Amino acid sequence: MNAEIIAIGSELLLGQIVNSNAQFLSKQLAELGINVYYHTVVGDNGSRLSDVINHAKKRADLIIFTGGLGPTKDDLTKETIAAVLNRKLVLDKVALTRIEEYFSRRGRVMTENNKKQAVIIEGSKVLPNDNGMAPGMVFTENEITYLLLPGPPKEMQPMFLSYAKGYLSAEVGGSSIIISRVLRFYDIGESQLETELEDLLDQQTNPTIAPLAGNGDVTIRLTVKHDSEEVAESLLNETEEKIMKRVGEFFYGYDNSSLTEVAFELLKKKKMSIASAESLTGGLFGKRLTSYPGSSSTYAGGILCYTNEVKRDLLHIPAQLLETSGAISKECAQLMAEHVREKLLTDIGISFTGVAGPSKSEGKEVGTVFIGIAYKNKPTVVYSLRLAGNRDEIRNRTVKYGFYYLLKELKKGGNNI
């Protein structure tokens, strides 16, 4: 089965809401071995929706609609589909009773236009709405299956899982499944990654390999299709191993994991504590880390040392060093990391100093950054960076690099850093 997902709603085109339904449905269809080749969004306009339906009929044998099943005049989905397919609309008494009961339970008066939600396309199998009023429906015509679902995710998702998924599973038959795995990398550009994997990308068949650039990250999505889940997993593992041999040094996690999350989990696993000294980043590192429940088990706290006076008085950075090397220096970053670790009695200290802009500081260019990582009984490591972007971008990327370098050091040190 090849599917197209059509989302109806002008609010989607205006950017007022995100089309999360398409993402959810694509993942669910992949589990059923159904290919999704197109996502389409169209406004509340009958003529344009008719055009979209006619296009979809030429390229898909499963068309899923979300939205446009409500009681108002701009809810045109089933009316338009019925017109395109020359099918009648009929009142479903069971659906009407459920809608009447819905209003009764809430002590509200049902207006006449709500009866519209109980109207279905003739010949449809009705999908009950356990979390709202408008029922869904599914039917097949000329070997194309049409599935209509409500727009609100709180209604659509449970309806699909409870009623539509089983129906489609029976329709598809067979046992082919699609499994995807996302590998996440940092500190390597998309072009460099593709160069390293060029021959693998050229030869890909099953699994497929799809690189994708993100916000400072690069991801690779591996997708495999097979009748056996065990074989599918084995194929994914083999392909991942080939990729890791070439670019594994830049790898940090899977699927939806973030650098912060992976670093936090590794700190917890190793039962290690960390403290931060932040000048350039103004507390962003601590803010990111403390967004995770239980972070107090790893993060002791931080010192915001934005001025030289605070660096000198709280972190005991020598005044002479601040005058000669400057606050934006490898030497200052090293002492900041070492002294915050000692002051807050942690296993690790991390420091951030640099120039966020918009102008130079201490004669250093905008984007000059130093990140120090100090360990108990280990030499302190200082990383230097030259970052591009505006002030916020530089600060955010600095924190990401902080978590990335922290991960690298944690992995280097085994269980006893």
Side-chain angles (χ1 to χ4, degrees):
M1 243 185 192
N2 299 326
E4 177 161 351
I5 298 169
I6 300 174
I8 298 99
S10 298
E11 65 276 11
L12 294 165
L13 295 174
L14 293 170
Q16 295 170 344
I17 63 170
V18 175
N19 186 15
S20 60
N21 285 343
Q23 181 186 35
F24 170 83
L25 288 169
S26 287
K27 289 181 178 179
Q28 293 297 322
L29 295 174
E31 292 179 10
L32 297 172
I34 297 173
N35 305 305
V36 178
Y37 289 148
Y38 298 95
H39 283 182
T40 302
V41 179
V42 62
D44 302 307
N45 180 281
S47 175
R48 288 191 284 272
L49 178 54
S50 295
D51 290 341
V52 166
I53 295 168
N54 284 320
H55 279 297
K57 285 167 60 181
K58 299 173 184 176
R59 59 193 185 187
D61 42 30
L62 169 62
I63 307 174
I64 302 179
F65 302 85
T66 62
L69 302 182
T72 61
K73 290 182 179 179
D74 62 354
D75 291 311
L76 301 167
T77 300
K78 56 196 171 189
E79 290 84 355
T80 306
I81 296 170
V84 169
L85 300 179
N86 197 27
R87 285 200 171 209
K88 293 181 180 179
L89 291 170
V90 296
L91 183 69
D92 184 82
K93 293 182 179 179
V94 174
L96 179 60
T97 299
R98 287 176 67 96
I99 293 170
E100 290 171 341
E101 290 174 349
Y102 181 92
F103 277 94
S104 178
R105 286 194 301 271
R106 285 157 179 76
R108 293 164 54 195
V109 176
M110 176 177 157
T111 56
E112 187 65 23
N113 61 348
N114 278 288
K115 288 184 179 179
K116 178 186 175 187
Q117 296 181 96
V119 171
I120 65 166
I121 297 173
E122 190 175 37
S124 298
K125 174 181 172 61
V126 176
L127 308 178
N129 190 338
D130 298 329
N131 297 276
M133 288 181 282
M137 62 201 83
V138 61
F139 63 92
T140 300
E141 179 172 300
N142 295 329
E143 299 183 345
I144 299 175
T145 298
Y146 297 82
L147 171 60
L148 287 69
L149 300 168
K154 67 176 184 179
E155 299 178 28
M156 187 279 293
Q157 292 184 14
M159 181 185 291
F160 182 88
L161 294 173
S162 298
Y163 305 107
K165 191 171 184 179
Y167 180 93
L168 293 178
S169 181
E171 285 284 302
V172 171
S175 56
S176 180
I177 59 168
I178 297 174
I179 301 176
S180 289
R181 180 184 301 172
V182 175
L183 313 179
R184 307 191 74 89
F185 301 85
Y186 199 75
D187 199 28
I188 181 172
E190 184 183 18
S191 58
Q192 183 186 346
L193 189 76
E194 288 195 14
T195 300
E196 296 291 339
L197 306 176
E198 188 172 2
D199 60 316
L200 296 179
L201 292 168
D202 290 341
Q203 297 164 13
Q204 63 175 303
T205 52
N206 188 31
T208 58
I209 306 170
L212 179 67
N215 185 21
D217 301 36
V218 180
T219 61
I220 293 178
R221 188 185 68 248
L222 305 178
T223 306
V224 65
K225 186 172 183 178
H226 204 277
D227 293 343
S228 165
E229 185 172 352
E230 184 178 349
V231 173
E233 290 287 351
S234 178
L235 289 169
L236 286 178
N237 292 338
E238 288 174 15
T239 305
E240 179 183 333
E241 187 177 347
K242 291 176 184 177
I243 292 170
M244 289 301 189
K245 284 180 179 177
R246 304 186 189 190
V247 291
E249 63 180 296
F250 303 102
F251 171 79
Y252 73 83
Y254 293 97
D255 299 322
N256 294 319
S257 58
S258 67
L259 281 165
T260 308
E261 179 185 8
V262 175
F264 170 59
E265 292 298 332
L266 193 51
L267 283 167
K268 278 204 309 181
K269 183 179 178 181
K270 289 176 175 285
K271 297 181 179 179
M272 301 191 75
S273 58
I274 188 169
S276 60
E278 302 190 55
S279 179
L280 162 74
T281 50
L284 277 176
F285 178 87
K287 179 182 178 181
R288 299 272 169 83
L289 201 52
T290 54
S291 66
Y292 292 94
S295 55
S296 60
S297 64
T298 60
Y299 185 61
I303 294 176
L304 299 185
C305 45
Y306 213 66
T307 66
N308 283 0
E309 290 74 20
V310 175
K311 292 180 179 72
R312 182 193 65 208
D313 297 342
L314 285 185
L315 283 176
H316 310 301
I317 308 299
Q320 186 178 358
L321 185 148
L322 293 170
E323 291 172 8
T324 55
S325 300
I328 304 162
S329 65
K330 178 179 179 180
E331 294 81 5
C332 186
Q334 177 181 336
L335 290 183
M336 285 168 62
E338 291 173 351
H339 292 181
V340 78
R341 187 197 68 76
E342 293 166 1
K343 195 173 185 71
L344 298 187
L345 304 175
T346 56
D347 300 304
I348 304 171
I350 188 167
S351 65
F352 301 89
T353 184
V355 188
S359 56
K360 291 182 181 180
S361 181
E362 297 183 352
K364 276 99 173 181
E365 296 290 339
V366 172
T368 301
V369 170
F370 296 94
I371 300 172
I373 301 177
Y375 305 98
K376 189 186 296 183
N377 304 322
K378 289 279 185 179
T380 300
V381 180
V382 178
Y383 293 92
S384 60
L385 295 166
R386 284 296 300 275
L387 302 177
N390 61 35
R391 185 177 177 83
D392 285 341
E393 289 169 343
I394 289 170
R395 282 155 51 91
N396 280 304
R397 290 183 65 196
T398 296
V399 171
K400 277 194 168 184
Y401 268 107
F403 282 111
Y404 175 69
Y405 291 140
L406 176 60
L407 265 175
K408 286 186 74 170
E409 296 299 326
L410 286 169
K411 289 175 181 177
K412 272 188 210 173
N415 291 320
N416 297 296
I417 293 179

